[in-house]
Amino acid sequence: MFIARNFVSRSICSATIACLALPNLAFAQKKADTHTEAKAEKKAESYYGPQPAAENVDLTMYARIRDEGLRHSHVMQFAGALADGIGPRLTGSPNMAKANAWTRDTLTKIGLENAHLEDWGEFGMGWQQINTWARMVSPDPEPLWLQAAPWSPATKGTVSGEAVFVDLQTAGDLEKYKGKLGGKIVLLGAMRTTPDITEPLFKRYTDAELKEMENAQTGQGRAGAPNIAQLLADRQRLAALRVQALKMMEEEGVLAIITPSRDGGSGGGTGIIFDDNGANLSRNAQVKESAVTIPNAVMMIEHYNRLGRMLQNKVPVTIELNIETKFTGDHEHGFDTVAEIPGTDPKLKDQVVMVGGHLDSWISGTGATDNGAGSIVAMEAVRILKALGIKPKRTIRIALWSGEEQGLFGSLGYVKQHFGDFEASPIPDAPGTPAFMRQNRGPLKTTKEWETLDAYYNLDNGTGMVRGVYTQGNFAIAPIFAQWIAPLKDLGVTTISPRNTGGTDHLSFDAVGLPGFQFIQDPMDYETRTHHSDMDTYDRLHAYDLEQAAVVEAIFLYNTSEREAMMPRKPYPHPENERQMTAPIPGIYPNAK
Ligand SMILES: [Zn+2]
């Protein structure tokens, strides 16, 4: 259900000096409004109005949460069941369905109510990797390390063929290979050097680094902003060339395509396989219409480079391989797991505080740190609250998303269904603009539930402990969080950063003007090694860090649920006015005609 546009703008204006004339208007209107709407407006004022200077911090409850979370933690038990027991969780796959069912049933087991799955819409094909192997047959027999790229079709059993190195930069390059690729195994993509590892691949934040995060992000001037049009043109040119190449290879009967595994940060991409969107030869490989029809796999860089160098030096190489994969449906839907600890205060129980992370992963490891960690920490946080028998004033809701890795689909779908969505902009983005680069949006239309979502807390940066929280530019919330974390200094939680942090599901909430946050976590080896790689397994998890994170999350949930007022929000988003508001003032140069 949508709420009236003028209602929302009034609520925002009540907090701003610029709208001083509005209370009278609001009063005149209010007479005509129903009682319910007047009540809703009262509520709305609490998230746009002034906040109390002092927070009511219940240290006895902090102590109980710390005791339960640090002495009786179940987080590693959740970790084992999810990462080892289920394994990788590609959205749409049978394992993802298992993980949805397991989280729903486990949340019920630990005492949550209303545990269920919510369908956020069609995702694409169901797929799983059964087995992938390759070896160089000649001139020097060697096992080669690779894994199927997600949604790759299977080879017809074990196949063998001569390898060809295809370096594709321009349409002219493609011509060179015409008529020469039938029955071949194509190495597609440039070789790359393996950078020296001169910095540790594993690290925690230093005090100085955390201190630095307390400053606002230094803005990038417009002059220095990336040229979106150019980036887009480059992307489109390469994508078009790739489509052309794949078509030609399919027509000629290429047996399989092998691509090189990309680098991690700081040289962490050695001896490892990153298998994610970057390994896909099509932007929407999960959708049948845009799927890659040639079996394809991503190979560890050292093996790829050896094959590439031999081929460039005109040494014939024969490879034998078997990419064994299985499709389990053409139009699979995606689901989020949702469960609750119902609120008990008659006035506040309809308001909701949420916690979550994405449950889906890529495929080469078991998705333990990305984002098994965020999922099990959220589960442990609500377990702690249940174990302590807490009867929260507001409803506490956990949501474990899917489709995050392909574009935040699960949380975007949830937000759209529950809280609001943007109308189409009269000025569309250039055709082919990927979702993350779209700039034009129409007005935001919100629902009744939008009024009652208090805050959403997310965790999705690996196994590292919580060192603080990003306020996502929510200026009014900083002093509240600062008071909440002051008693957690001994656990290493010290930093309130005004910065935005991106790339994950809190953005779906933030986009529609709801308070959505992500915690600052110690980096560990997430960016360098585990993120989307075959190293992302249970072994990389750090039990104490996860226990600590669950304690912090449980405290944030508790504080939010018991707080008198709702959490302050950023101003109501008006993307439809963005162009007009940033348009240059005409005739500003002296002597301009
Ligand atoms: Zn993630």
Side-chain angles (χ1 to χ4, degrees):
M1 188 174 31
F2 295 130
I3 59 159
R5 187 70 265 117
N6 67 347
F7 164 63
V8 172
S9 10
R10 262 199 343 254
S11 317
I12 301 157
C13 286
S14 69
T16 57
I17 300 165
C19 298
L20 278 180
L22 273 172
N24 286 337
L25 248 179
F27 180 69
Q29 170 107 33
K30 216 187 266 178
K31 274 189 190 166
D33 287 344
T34 62
H35 179 63
T36 345
E37 194 169 338
K39 227 167 67 187
E41 184 171 20
K42 183 92 187 83
K43 263 190 231 159
E45 278 166 4
S46 75
Y47 48 71
Y48 285 129
Q51 295 288 327
E55 286 294 297
N56 189 7
V57 173
D58 179 352
L59 290 183
T60 314
M61 189 53 77
Y62 273 52
R64 290 181 65 200
I65 291 173
R66 288 168 65 126
D67 185 68
E68 177 62 28
L70 299 176
R71 283 165 28 109
H72 313 133
S73 180
H74 285 61
V75 76
M76 292 311 285
Q77 203 193 344
F78 294 149
L82 184 67
D84 293 339
I86 294 173
R89 302 167 300 279
L90 190 69
T91 300
S93 71
N95 271 10
M96 185 69 230
K98 273 189 207 168
N100 274 134
W102 175 79
T103 46
R104 178 196 59 207
D105 298 346
T106 306
L107 288 165
T108 303
K109 238 174 239 173
I110 60 178
L112 273 78
E113 292 179 32
N114 189 24
H116 65 283
L117 306 184
E118 288 195 30
D119 184 341
W120 50 257
E122 184 170 328
F123 171 69
M125 295 184 292
W127 179 91
Q128 71 187 122
Q129 173 170 236
I130 308 292
N131 187 14
T132 303
W133 63 263
R135 67 188 188 101
M136 173 157 56
V137 179
S138 66
D140 179 39
E142 183 195 25
L144 302 167
W145 296 2
L146 81 178
Q147 289 209 29
W151 303 287
S152 162
T155 50
K156 292 191 178 77
T158 301
V159 295
S160 80
E162 221 178 286
V164 187
F165 182 75
V166 173
D167 190 10
L168 200 59
Q169 296 299 332
T170 65
D173 294 334
L174 198 54
E175 278 302 305
K176 284 191 284 191
Y177 302 103
K178 209 165 184 166
K180 297 178 186 156
L181 297 175
K184 300 286 197 300
I185 292 170
V186 168
L187 270 66
L188 184 63
M191 291 179 275
R192 64 171 175 84
T193 52
T194 52
D196 292 330
I197 300 167
T198 55
E199 300 289 327
L201 295 177
F202 178 100
K203 64 171 284 201
R204 291 185 183 275
Y205 282 130
T206 62
D207 290 344
E209 285 169 323
L210 289 167
K211 195 85 203 132
E212 212 274 318
M213 282 185 215
E214 291 175 359
N215 300 320
Q217 206 130 31
T218 38
Q220 196 179 26
R222 290 200 160 253
N227 184 338
I228 303 269
Q230 188 56 50
L231 277 174
L232 200 58
D234 286 349
R235 272 175 67 107
Q236 280 172 341
R237 189 185 61 81
L238 279 171
L241 187 57
R242 199 161 251 195
V243 168
Q244 226 184 323
L246 288 174
K247 191 165 173 282
M248 186 177 110
M249 289 182 199
E250 192 188 345
E251 281 164 5
E252 296 202 4
V254 163
L255 288 180
I257 299 171
I258 297 171
T259 59
S261 178
R262 64 174 166 82
D263 193 13
S266 314
T270 56
I272 189 171
I273 295 169
F274 289 105
D275 197 359
D276 53 17
N277 260 344
N280 275 134
L281 295 165
S282 159
R283 197 183 296 146
N284 284 312
Q286 75 272 19
V287 176
K288 198 168 171 86
E289 291 67 41
S290 46
V292 180
T293 51
I294 304 167
N296 61 105
V298 54
M299 184 177 278
M300 185 179 79
I301 192 61
E302 290 84 350
H303 285 164
Y304 188 89
N305 284 350
R306 180 184 181 193
L307 298 175
R309 283 188 298 266
M310 289 167 76
L311 293 168
Q312 277 195 329
N313 285 285
K314 307 201 181 320
V315 179
V317 172
T318 307
I319 294 173
E320 185 176 65
L321 62 78
N322 190 347
I323 301 174
E324 195 184 346
T325 62
K326 190 172 152 191
F327 287 93
T328 55
D330 287 346
H331 302 281
E332 297 300 295
H333 278 226
F335 297 88
D336 300 322
T337 307
V338 181
E340 291 179 342
I341 305 175
T344 53
D345 183 293
K347 285 203 209 92
L348 300 176
K349 65 180 186 197
D350 291 339
Q351 294 176 8
V352 179
V353 44
M354 289 185 70
V355 65
H358 73 90
L359 184 60
D360 65 305
S361 74
W362 288 105
I363 58 159
S364 57
T366 58
T369 70
D370 186 17
N371 183 27
S375 303
I376 57 176
V377 164
M379 291 172 75
E380 172 65 4
V382 292
R383 188 204 65 79
I384 292 171
L385 297 175
K386 268 317 286 184
L388 295 175
I390 286 165
K391 305 251 180 288
K393 286 183 178 161
R394 291 183 177 82
T395 294
I396 292 171
R397 182 184 295 162
I398 178 173
L400 303 173
W401 319 110
S402 60
E404 190 273 351
E405 296 291 4
Q406 292 76 36
L408 315 185
F409 295 149
S411 57
L412 281 171
Y414 186 88
V415 164
K416 198 168 161 178
Q417 285 171 15
H418 288 265
F419 306 126
D421 195 13
F422 296 93
E423 284 180 37
S425 167
I427 316 157
D429 287 290
T433 309
F436 73 93
M437 287 168 100
R438 273 178 215 150
Q439 292 185 304
N440 298 326
R441 284 176 154 175
L444 171 63
K445 286 258 184 171
T446 55
T447 67
K448 207 76 189 156
E449 270 186 273
W450 181 88
E451 295 290 335
T452 55
L453 193 279
D454 199 356
Y456 169 67
Y457 301 107
N458 193 74
L459 204 73
D460 182 21
N461 276 323
T463 189
M465 65 163 66
V466 169
R467 306 304 305 273
V469 58
Y470 297 101
T471 65
Q472 214 68 25
N474 185 333
F475 189 70
I477 220 160
I480 299 169
F481 285 162
Q483 291 173 67
W484 291 5
I485 67 167
L488 300 175
K489 199 170 170 224
D490 66 309
L491 293 183
V493 192
T494 56
T495 305
I496 304 294
S497 173
R499 297 179 183 180
N500 289 322
T501 183
T504 186
D505 296 296
H506 64 294
L507 293 181
S508 305
F509 291 77
D510 185 66
V512 298
L514 292 169
F517 305 102
Q518 158 115 315
F519 293 99
I520 300 167
Q521 290 176 264
D522 267 338
M524 323 294 262
D525 49 359
Y526 185 68
E527 289 293 338
T528 53
R529 296 288 272 176
T530 73
H531 178 244
H532 300 182
S533 83
D534 56 343
M535 300 280 159
D536 191 5
T537 63
Y538 180 94
D539 314 81
R540 303 281 108 61
L541 295 174
H542 286 245
Y544 175 74
D545 288 74
L546 298 170
E547 289 164 11
Q548 183 261 21
V551 164
V552 177
E553 254 188 9
I555 286 173
F556 270 63
L557 287 174
Y558 181 77
N559 286 353
T560 312
S561 77
E562 301 310 289
R563 203 169 178 269
E564 199 174 319
M566 288 181 83
M567 301 297 278
R569 296 184 179 184
K570 293 198 281 192
Y572 192 88
H574 282 289
E576 74 280 15
N577 297 339
E578 207 48 39
R579 259 168 202 273
Q580 192 195 333
M581 291 192 299
T582 52
I585 302 165
I588 200 161
Y589 269 48
N591 309 321
K593 285 193 176 152

